[in-house]
Amino acid sequence: MLALRLAWLLFLLPVGAFSPGFFFVRRLRWSPLEKLCGSVGLSLLLLYAAAFAIYVSRLPWAPASGVVSAGCVVLGLLTLRDASRLPVRQVVRGFGFLVAWTFAILLLLRNYSGGMWFGDWLEHFQRSLYFLHRFPQDTPIFLRYQLPARPPFMNLLAAFFLAPAGDRFELFQVVFTFLNLLVFLPCCLIAPALGLGGRRRIAPLAAVFACNPLVVENATYTWTKLLAAFFVVLGLWFYLAAWRKHDRVRLWAASLALASALLVHYSAGPYVVLLALHYLLFVFRRRKEKWKELATAATLGGTVLATWLVWSVATFGVRITFGSNTTVRDAAQGSGGRLAGIAANAAGNLVRTAMPHPLRAGVSLDALQQYSAAGWWRDYFFLIYQTNAIFAMGAVGGLAVLYLLGRSCLRAPPGPQRLFWLFFLSGGVALATAVHWGGEVFGVAHVTLQPLLVLGLSLLGGAWSSLRRWARLALVIGCALDFTLGIALQAKVESLENTPQERVFAGLTYVEKGPLPLGPPAAGFLSEPAWQNWFRKHQLEACEEWSSRAAAAAGEAGHRIDYALKLYRSEDRVYWHGWYARHDGSLVFLGDRTASLAPGGLALPGAALLVMFLGLMRRLLREV
């Protein structure tokens, strides 16, 4: 049964993500790759609008989404001939390889962990269930957020795709992973514009993406930042093309893409602001019929944003809609000396994002205390690859990007294009870092810088043909190093789970002091954040296991344990409205399904990943 649901999802996801938009853009005078990427962006926007309409109108999800899905299939059949003529097979093959590669990794994962990361993956699952099951509007969001603290675009898409397939977590993983990987497509589109005159090389670009720990982790960890980067890069391309070609349609497409990016994740805000400022300061006065063009672009983008903001204001009010986001909330608390502290945090974040933690004195790793050597080294490298802006593009790739940017600044003739990139890149780093008000010990590359980081990876793909042989070989070695330290080691640790033969994660531990008498062990096989993620996966199931111990405890300790267990159990009712109880008390990952197939079940996707890695290295060496 699960196999049929997966097969349905893997059919519907590409059809739904392409055919509705292609029906509208196929006649435009765009390049083939522009049509492909524009079709995907418009399709996702249309599906978001349909999903929001289904939710607001209170139509039954399964039949309503079934009708929309059938419409996508019909549009796909009507445009099949035109789609088959698009000369984009290399890009589609590169994306297909990236999907297969990432899904092989996904089949290994049985828990999420790494560094201090905790809970975001579960929060977005709950948000998707909020829309799918129409939870009461006063339902609190996991991690004590309110619903308007995050925009709904990707969660509504997940609700749409899960409606006919089921509300199981392993299906949710498939939806989010596929949507996050779409960022590869506009990066192929924009690569030549970044590549210093080189030809578009899809195979090296796909390899750089596949071996990049930031891309793989953000694709498999069920949150929304890579899809936001998809829309930012797509909007950036259409903005540049509209500026260069004096084309209004592309400018309007950029407006739709950037508004969609904001509805996926608010971290797209700095890039929207920068492009809007550039247009108003440097482009607007030279455009023909500029007021009509600006009014249309603003209306299109504003309409997209209004779908969420108007409903949220009507439902939750102005204060919660605009004040519950963490950036706005932290900014509202800043006054007097507090503002100075926020400014110091922003400056410190910029330094920490540029310099990895091994190169800075006084950085404590005590929070990562654990018995597992593999787990400790995983966290050590995780906090380099995910939070540092340079190493996020690869151990060698990040340095290569800096070299290429420096060479471009020295060689490129002065002009509007050079000024734009200086404005966008420097402003993007400064503004995207500044909007994260809290101080981060290890850096904030994973919070707001993904659009710039995937642009850096695109630069490597675009400049590949212009690099010397030794530089290409160094990048291949860097890809192998990144895969080993940032992907293979991460997948190994995230594949750990309790089995009848081995107990990796301890259950709840009695604590004499503290607000609750039950909590994580003082020292575990993996770090406490890893344990917290594991516990949330098994929360209701773990509470049932502890019930017998609570009954055996006497006196005050027994009463305290019983109170804590009731509190943990109540979270299923308060946050999830019985979802855990209906699913045997725990979440099930795709890796859990793989592991249950046979005693060596996890070895199958691991072997497949190894074969693909060796084939990828062989192909890259041929490119050298």
Side-chain angles (χ1 to χ4, degrees):
M1 188 65 175
L2 177 63
L4 291 177
R5 296 183 181 189
L6 284 172
W8 167 249
L9 270 183
L10 293 176
F11 166 75
L12 183 59
L13 281 166
V15 171
F18 174 74
S19 59
F22 185 64
F23 180 81
F24 293 100
V25 307
R26 58 192 170 130
R27 303 301 184 191
L28 295 177
R29 299 178 65 181
W30 289 359
S31 70
L33 197 47
E34 280 182 315
K35 290 182 179 180
L36 173 64
C37 297
S39 297
V40 172
L42 182 57
S43 295
L44 296 181
L45 179 57
L46 293 173
L47 290 182
Y48 155 77
F52 207 176
I54 293 171
Y55 173 74
V56 172
S57 65
R58 306 196 69 81
L59 291 171
W61 266 107
S65 64
V67 170
V68 176
S69 300
C72 293
V73 174
V74 171
L75 292 177
L77 294 174
L78 291 175
T79 59
L80 182 60
R81 185 176 180 181
D82 291 331
S84 64
R85 292 177 175 176
L86 283 179
V88 293
R89 288 182 176 84
Q90 283 191 341
V91 174
V92 173
R93 282 198 296 265
F95 177 72
F97 169 80
L98 197 61
V99 169
W101 169 274
T102 311
F103 271 73
I105 297 171
L106 197 63
L107 291 173
L108 293 169
L109 309 187
R110 304 185 71 185
N111 285 289
Y112 288 126
S113 61
M116 309 299 180
W117 287 19
F118 162 71
D120 302 88
W121 61 277
L122 192 57
E123 177 196 354
H124 282 289
F125 183 49
Q126 190 215 3
R127 286 178 175 274
S128 300
L129 295 180
Y130 182 103
F131 292 111
L132 179 61
H133 294 306
R134 294 190 171 91
F135 287 171
Q137 291 174 355
D138 60 350
T139 300
I141 300 300
F142 181 66
L143 299 180
R144 303 186 184 279
Y145 288 119
Q146 294 170 305
L147 184 71
R150 301 280 187 267
F153 193 109
M154 202 164 173
N155 305 114
L156 279 164
L157 285 180
F160 172 83
F161 286 112
L162 291 178
D167 63 350
R168 297 157 69 158
F169 183 74
E170 56 266 56
L171 301 177
F172 175 74
Q173 285 183 290
V174 171
V175 174
F176 260 52
T177 298
F178 179 88
L179 293 176
N180 279 322
L181 288 175
L182 291 171
V183 71
F184 175 73
L185 299 178
C187 288
C188 292
L189 177 64
I190 206 170
L194 303 170
L196 312 178
R199 294 188 298 112
R200 182 186 288 118
R201 302 293 290 272
I202 301 303
L205 183 58
V208 167
F209 267 72
C211 293
N212 183 265
L214 178 105
V215 169
V216 172
E217 180 66 14
N218 278 267
T220 56
Y221 193 78
T222 53
W223 62 358
T224 61
K225 294 181 179 180
L226 274 190
L227 186 63
F230 162 86
F231 279 113
V232 170
V233 177
L234 183 64
L236 174 62
W237 166 264
F238 279 123
Y239 175 77
L240 292 174
W243 179 25
R244 185 176 67 253
K245 297 175 180 291
H246 302 280
D247 181 19
R248 293 180 190 168
V249 175
R250 285 184 173 89
L251 184 68
W252 298 336
S255 178
L256 289 174
L258 295 172
S260 299
L262 281 172
L263 287 186
V264 177
H265 198 282
Y266 291 138
S267 63
Y271 309 101
V272 176
V273 170
L274 288 171
L275 290 177
L277 281 176
H278 184 270
Y279 176 79
L280 293 174
L281 294 176
F282 302 105
V283 179
F284 175 70
R285 63 179 180 271
R286 295 187 177 92
R287 305 289 284 189
K288 295 180 180 179
E289 296 185 341
K290 53 189 176 183
W291 291 108
K292 179 180 179 181
E293 179 183 82
L294 176 61
T296 305
T299 300
L300 290 172
T303 301
V304 172
L305 293 174
T307 58
W308 164 243
L309 295 177
V310 171
W311 177 85
S312 181
V313 168
T315 305
F316 295 96
V318 175
R319 184 181 63 83
I320 293 178
T321 296
F322 295 101
S324 58
N325 179 261
T326 52
T327 298
V328 177
R329 187 174 58 194
D330 290 344
Q333 294 173 353
S335 61
R338 173 69 176 158
L339 284 176
I342 291 176
N345 284 341
N349 285 340
L350 185 60
V351 174
R352 291 185 287 266
T353 302
M355 185 180 296
H357 68 82
L359 301 182
R360 290 185 280 114
V363 178
S364 174
L365 300 178
D366 291 344
L368 305 179
Q369 180 183 2
Q370 54 198 292
Y371 295 133
S372 170
W376 192 91
W377 282 111
R378 183 282 304 269
D379 288 331
Y380 184 88
F381 289 114
F382 185 93
L383 290 172
I384 296 175
Y385 279 117
Q386 301 300 325
T387 64
N388 180 260
I390 299 173
F391 281 87
M393 295 180 288
V396 176
L399 299 176
V401 169
L402 293 181
Y403 165 75
L404 291 170
L405 288 175
R407 189 178 73 174
S408 176
C409 289
L410 292 175
R411 295 183 179 180
Q417 291 288 332
R418 179 181 176 182
L419 180 62
F420 168 81
W421 285 113
L422 288 174
F423 170 79
F424 184 77
L425 295 178
S426 60
V429 171
L431 189 56
T433 305
V435 296
H436 187 78
W437 297 89
E440 291 288 342
V441 175
F442 298 99
V444 297
H446 65 294
V447 180
T448 51
L449 292 180
Q450 280 94 335
L452 293 181
L453 298 175
V454 296
L455 283 176
L457 299 180
S458 305
L459 173 60
L460 292 178
W464 182 271
S465 60
S466 67
L467 296 174
R468 297 190 179 188
R469 181 175 298 179
W470 67 265
R472 299 184 198 180
L473 182 60
L475 284 175
V476 174
I477 296 173
C479 285
L481 184 67
D482 297 336
F483 171 79
T484 303
L485 299 180
I487 295 178
L489 183 58
Q490 170 76 357
K492 168 63 179 175
V493 176
E494 287 191 319
S495 70
L496 297 175
E497 179 59 285
N498 291 341
T499 65
Q501 294 79 28
E502 181 182 21
R503 189 170 182 84
V504 178
F505 298 96
L508 292 165
T509 301
Y510 179 71
V511 182
E512 291 188 3
K513 297 181 179 180
L516 288 176
L518 297 178
F525 186 75
L526 295 179
S527 65
E528 181 179 336
W531 183 92
Q532 292 285 1
N533 283 309
W534 172 85
F535 174 66
R536 295 300 179 177
K537 174 185 175 184
H538 297 284
Q539 182 163 330
L540 198 59
E541 182 184 49
C543 289
E544 295 303 325
E545 178 184 341
W546 257 84
S547 295
S548 58
R549 303 188 187 187
E556 183 181 354
H559 290 300
R560 294 181 70 219
I561 292 174
D562 184 62
Y563 167 76
L565 289 174
K566 287 180 179 178
L567 189 62
Y568 281 133
R569 286 197 192 99
S570 70
E571 291 188 0
D572 180 45
R573 172 178 52 81
V574 173
Y575 291 106
W576 301 89
H577 295 277
W579 185 92
Y580 272 91
R582 295 192 301 271
H583 293 79
D584 300 323
S586 66
L587 296 161
V588 178
F589 284 50
L590 272 178
D592 295 320
R593 299 293 184 184
T594 307
S596 64
L597 293 177
L602 288 177
L604 297 177
L609 181 63
L610 179 60
V611 170
M612 284 191 287
F613 173 71
L614 294 176
L616 187 64
M617 290 296 101
R618 181 173 178 269
R619 175 60 187 271
L620 271 182
L621 289 174
R622 287 174 57 193
E623 293 284 342
V624 170

